[in-house]
Amino acid sequence: MKAIVLAGGKGTRLRPLSCNRNKIMAPLLNRPLLEHLLDYLKKHNVNDVIFTLGYLPEQIQSYFGDGSKVGVKISYLVEGSPLGSAGAIKNAERFLDDSFIVVNGDIFTDIDLTAMANLHRQNKAITSIALTPVDDPTPYGVVETDAENKVKRFLEKPSWDEVTTNMINAGIYIMDTSILSYIPSDTFFTFERDVFPSLLEEGQALYGYPSEAYWTDIGTPEKYLKLHHDVLSRYLADKSPEFEGESSIHPSARIEGPVIVGEGCFIGKDSVIRGPAALGSGCRIEEAAVIEGSVLWQNCKVGKEAKLRNCVIASNCYIEENCEILDNCVLGDNVTIGKGNMLSQGIRIWPDKSIEPDAISF
């Protein structure tokens, strides 16, 4: 099967991390999130992928090219204006001659795509929808199914008194090409609100594929940070740090737990890096600084005796000495935090800002 990856959104909920980049190009273990998604598809023998793009398409096109460097064939469709999830698929109709897979670009999952495809064929479904349980289904599309997992009803972003199940649309579909006849050309159209209700009204074979496998969307900085914690804890289960190239590590520095360190980093005297944590290439951690549970992108500098805990720092940021950046704070690209400042309570700083020494304390 071919796969279509929906990658057109602006990622507004992920700001300030998505101000200067397509959100699915944000790094996970120092590689773009989208590259991990392609690894997932390849694992299930999907090697022909179509990207539907809107926001900052050149970032994806220039990084992946024709896909040869990541082992897949990639085609691109750039939308002049948003077409919605279904409209984007209609726009790709000329590429589709058999059943195909649709994946939201902003998810990370272990859902068994191969098993889902097998059941799709057995059920002779027009569409199969991956379903995943969540603690709070109200921000998502809830999907009600019967005992055979045939879909009975969709409910988009229900209130708590409307919730009848915690199984939500996981953003992975397997579709028969006949579904394209339900979608008009060059029109904003969504599966959830426009296509799936029509299929149910006609009694079409629409099935859910429930799975307890790991799944998350990367909609907010908090989810992005949690994904790092989850993945680092799983992939570096032996708790040994991983170094991606040559770095300068002072003998007195301590690196504890699952930590990934990019190439060309400097980690100074008496500093502490406590995982799960990720440092992008070219980061400089000065004497006695402490970084715990945090994600730093490329070329960040952390001054003497600064403390970072459970925060996300985008590229080219400078945190001066004796600062504290704590608990779900997020800095966009090229931010400078002056000496002695303390940020906590989920403060977000947009790109290219400079906070003077001792100017704020939250």
Side-chain angles (χ1 to χ4, degrees), residues 296-309:
L296 281 66
W297 292 5
Q298 295 179 336
N299 302 317
C300 293
K301 182 178 178 182
V302 179
K304 291 175 61 175
E305 299 183 6
K307 181 177 182 180
L308 278 62
R309 184 181 70 208

Side-chain angles (χ1 to χ4, degrees), residues 242-303:
E242 179 177 308
F243 298 92
E244 297 185 312
E246 293 293 327
S247 287
S248 175
I249 316 294
H250 194 279
S252 66
R254 290 185 290 144
I255 303 178
E256 305 169 352
V259 174
I260 187 166
V261 179
E263 186 174 10
C265 289
F266 172 89
I267 301 178
K269 178 182 178 182
D270 296 327
S271 59
V272 178
I273 316 293
R274 187 172 294 122
L279 303 185
S281 62
C283 286
R284 185 176 182 90
I285 313 303
E286 299 288 0
E287 179 179 344
V290 177
I291 295 175
E292 180 177 0
S294 297
V295 175
L296 281 66
W297 292 5
Q298 295 179 336
N299 302 317
C300 293
K301 182 178 178 182
V302 179

Side-chain angles (χ1 to χ4, degrees), residues 139-346:
Y140 300 99
V142 170
V143 184
E144 296 178 1
T145 58
D146 64 17
E148 284 73 43
N149 291 318
K150 193 169 184 179
V151 175
K152 298 192 301 181
R153 187 167 79 122
F154 293 93
L155 193 58
E156 280 297 307
K157 299 181 179 178
S159 59
W160 272 110
D161 60 351
E162 296 175 304
V163 170
T164 57
T165 175
N166 69 337
M167 300 301 289
I168 66 160
N169 180 345
I172 301 175
Y173 314 112
I174 299 178
M175 296 181 161
D176 187 82
T177 52
S178 62
I179 200 169
L180 297 168
S181 65
Y182 290 81
I183 309 170
S185 300
D186 301 319
T187 303
F188 184 91
F189 225 62
T190 69
F191 287 116
E192 300 82 0
R193 298 186 186 278
D194 301 310
V195 179
F196 293 156
S198 296
L199 297 178
L200 287 182
E201 286 178 11
E202 293 186 9
Q204 293 280 5
L206 191 61
Y207 280 85
Y209 177 76
S211 175
E212 297 283 341
Y214 184 87
W215 178 91
T216 187
D217 69 329
I218 308 113
T220 65
E222 291 79 12
K223 290 182 178 180
Y224 174 76
L225 180 61
K226 184 179 185 302
L227 173 61
H228 268 86
H229 289 181
D230 292 345
V231 172
L232 283 161
S233 297
R234 292 173 65 195
Y235 289 104
L236 299 180
D238 61 357
K239 308 305 181 188
S240 299
E242 179 177 308
F243 298 92
E244 297 185 312
E246 293 293 327
S247 287
S248 175
I249 316 294
H250 194 279
S252 66
R254 290 185 290 144
I255 303 178
E256 305 169 352
V259 174
I260 187 166
V261 179
E263 186 174 10
C265 289
F266 172 89
I267 301 178
K269 178 182 178 182
D270 296 327
S271 59
V272 178
I273 316 293
R274 187 172 294 122
L279 303 185
S281 62
C283 286
R284 185 176 182 90
I285 313 303
E286 299 288 0
E287 179 179 344
V290 177
I291 295 175
E292 180 177 0
S294 297
V295 175
L296 281 66
W297 292 5
Q298 295 179 336
N299 302 317
C300 293
K301 182 178 178 182
V302 179
K304 291 175 61 175
E305 299 183 6
K307 181 177 182 180
L308 278 62
R309 184 181 70 208
N310 295 328
C311 60
V312 182
I313 311 297
S315 297
N316 306 307
C317 288
Y318 181 21
I319 294 131
E320 296 185 5
E321 61 185 80
N322 297 115
C323 286
E324 294 189 16
I325 315 293
L326 308 175
D327 299 335
N328 292 315
C329 286
V330 185
L331 306 188
D333 296 315
N334 310 308
V335 169
T336 297
I337 304 296
K339 177 180 177 181
N341 278 295
M342 176 180 174
L343 280 70
S344 63
Q345 302 175 2

Side-chain angles (χ1 to χ4, degrees), residues 17-29:
L17 299 176
S18 57
C19 288
N20 295 330
R21 70 181 66 206
N22 189 302
K23 69 176 177 180
I24 58 178
M25 291 299 288
L28 172 64
L29 305 186

Side-chain angles (χ1 to χ4, degrees), residues 10-64:
K10 291 186 176 181
T12 53
R13 292 185 299 138
L14 194 63
R15 290 177 180 171
L17 299 176
S18 57
C19 288
N20 295 330
R21 70 181 66 206
N22 189 302
K23 69 176 177 180
I24 58 178
M25 291 299 288
L28 172 64
L29 305 186
N30 294 337
R31 293 193 297 144
L33 288 160
L34 187 52
E35 192 167 348
H36 292 273
L37 180 57
L38 291 176
D39 287 345
Y40 166 70
L41 292 172
K42 286 192 295 181
K43 177 182 174 182
H44 294 281
N45 298 312
V46 178
N47 300 298
D48 193 340
V49 182
I50 302 156
F51 291 155
T52 67
L53 307 178
Y55 180 63
L56 301 175
E58 65 282 352
Q59 292 183 353
I60 294 174
Q61 292 169 313
S62 62
Y63 184 90
F64 290 101

